[in-house]
């Protein structure tokens, strides 16, 4: 397995991603869409999720395909980003048809970034406009790091961000991940230079500094985020929200199985993961353009690849985050520049 040409979720033909953000707000929205509806499901393992239209993604529910998926900052306010995406889809006549009515299907999930130093004194919820702008910006190229839903994300000890990664399987199918990483846990080992996901890194995609031989077993759970906001609910101000996708043809139930497997990627890249204060959620998507030769065997490999991609995407999100005025936490690049062990970013 090797990364796709862009090492992005848009290496899957047909998928598009758009970002929109407000730097003063320190928040934003990321939208995944395609020119035609695609099959999707979801699996939640965090204790504090914030979601919209996810019940319909269960295997027994009527609607099997969606028009877009939304990852947003803003906590519950950010769920309104889905409304902006719906408006954009409706204006082009896209959606689930019931007689003469057309209803765009746009599930979404949010992360909590209300205590990150940004200006949250809005009079009118800004997220519908951000969602609309993100949808309109959708294409095959998009920014990672401090962009879209990752604009104001914070991990346990470093600035979080938006990440993506892909793999091409021996069958020719592509699997990829897109993530907004804002976890309670740390994405790096004590000392902040080495990533927990380092064993899964390919082509120095997040610094090439390798595993930390002194990392221990995750016993050190110190968190700058918690220290900065000890009385402001830092234990609940978190979440890693992600999308894993493939061009292999999967049913809605199989998309959920891929999403379940992909959660291992969060556990490998974030310590601790899936806490009561995290809303950890993974959408599973199939664009359905490549029929698997051996469905059962390939589904297992697709799930494994999705977990690998998600681990790498989380590390890339933190690796690519960049400083901005008013930041509460340092970026990985700041730690790297202050380190003299000879590793190259």
């Amino acid at each position: 397995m090797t990364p796709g040409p862009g090492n992005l979720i848009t290496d899957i033909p047909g998928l598009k991603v758009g970002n929109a953000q407000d730097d003063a707000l320190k928040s934003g929205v990321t939208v995944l869409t395609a020119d035609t509806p695609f099959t999707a499901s979801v699996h939640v393992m965090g204790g504090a999720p914030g979601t919209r239209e996810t019940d319909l993604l269960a295997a027994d529910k009527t609607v099997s395909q969606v028009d877009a998926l939304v990852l947003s900052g803003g906590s519950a306010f950010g769920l309104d980003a889905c409304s902006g995406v719906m408006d954009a889809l409706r204006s082009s006549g896209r959606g689930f048809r019931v007689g003469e009515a057309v209803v765009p299907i746009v599930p979404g999930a949010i992360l909590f970034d209300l205590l990150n130093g940004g200006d949250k004194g809005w009079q009118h919820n800004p997220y519908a406009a951000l969602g609309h702008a993100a949808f309109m910006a959708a294409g095959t190229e998009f920014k990672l790091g401090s962009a879209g839903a990752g604009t104001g994300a914070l991990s346990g000890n470093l600035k979080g961000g938006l990440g993506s990664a892909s793999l091409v399987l021996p069958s020719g199918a592509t699997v990829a991940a897109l993530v907004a990483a804002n976890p309670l846990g740390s994405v790096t080992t004590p000392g902040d230079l080495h990533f927990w996901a380092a064993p899964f890194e390919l082509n120095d995609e997040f610094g090439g500094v390798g595993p930390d031989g002194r990392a221990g077993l995750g016993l050190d759970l110190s968190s700058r985020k918690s220290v900065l906001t000890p009385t402001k609910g830092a234990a609940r101000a978190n979440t890693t929200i992600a999308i894993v996708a493939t061009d292999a043809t999967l049913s809605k139930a199989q998309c959920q199985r891929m999403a379940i497997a992909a959660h291992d990627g969060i556990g490998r890249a974030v310590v601790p993961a899936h806490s009561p204060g995290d809303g950890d959620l993974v959408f599973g998507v199939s664009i359905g353009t490549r029929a698997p030769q051996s469905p059962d065997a390939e589904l297992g490999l697709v799930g494994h690849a999705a977990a690998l991609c998600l681990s790498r995407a989380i590390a890339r999100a933190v690796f690519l985050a960049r400083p901005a005025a008013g930041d509460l936490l340092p970026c990985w690049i700041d730690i790297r520049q202050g380190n003299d062990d000879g590793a190259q970013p």
Side-chain angles (χ1 to χ4, degrees), residues 92-112:
S92 60
R94 291 183 55 187
F96 183 72
R97 295 186 177 274
V98 183
E100 295 181 357
V102 178
V103 183
I105 307 298
V106 185
I110 51 86
L111 56 82
F112 188 104

Side-chain angles (χ1 to χ4, degrees), residues 5 80 115-116 120 138 151 169 224 265 294:
D80 207 28
L115 301 174
N116 64 358
K120 305 304 194 292
T151 298
L169 309 188
R224 289 191 185 97
S294 178

Side-chain angles (χ1 to χ4, degrees), residues 116-245:
N116 64 358
D119 179 6
K120 305 304 194 292
W122 66 75
Q123 297 300 311
H124 301 283
N125 189 328
Y127 286 96
L130 286 168
H132 188 282
F135 178 83
M136 298 305 294
T140 57
E141 296 184 4
F142 58 98
K143 290 184 178 180
L144 299 179
S146 302
T151 298
L154 304 174
S155 71
N157 285 311
L158 298 172
K159 196 170 177 180
L162 186 73
S164 192
S166 68
L167 283 172
V168 180
L169 309 188
S171 66
T174 300
V175 178
L178 176 69
V179 63
N182 182 65
L184 172 70
S186 178
V187 178
T188 52
T189 65
D192 299 322
L193 180 65
H194 299 267
F195 290 92
W196 289 111
F200 311 105
E201 184 177 15
L202 296 172
N203 304 328
D204 295 344
E205 63 192 335
F206 42 88
V209 297
D212 184 356
R214 302 164 295 175
L217 297 175
L219 301 179
D220 181 357
L221 300 181
S222 57
S223 166
R224 289 191 185 97
K225 186 194 290 192
S226 296
V227 171
L228 282 169
T229 56
T231 62
K232 296 182 180 179
R236 299 180 180 179
N238 314 287
T239 286
T240 297
I241 47 177
I243 302 167
V244 293

Side-chain angles (χ1 to χ4, degrees), residues 226-285:
S226 296
V227 171
L228 282 169
T229 56
T231 62
K232 296 182 180 179
R236 299 180 180 179
N238 314 287
T239 286
T240 297
I241 47 177
I243 302 167
V244 293
T246 182
D247 56 1
T249 301
L250 302 181
S251 66
K252 190 169 19 169
Q254 290 172 324
C255 283
Q256 185 185 47
R257 177 51 52 187
M258 176 175 61
I260 291 169
H263 271 281
D264 286 352
I266 298 177
R268 294 167 185 168
V270 179
V271 177
H274 304 135
S275 78
D278 281 298
D280 295 346
L281 171 151
V282 179
F283 292 107
V285 165

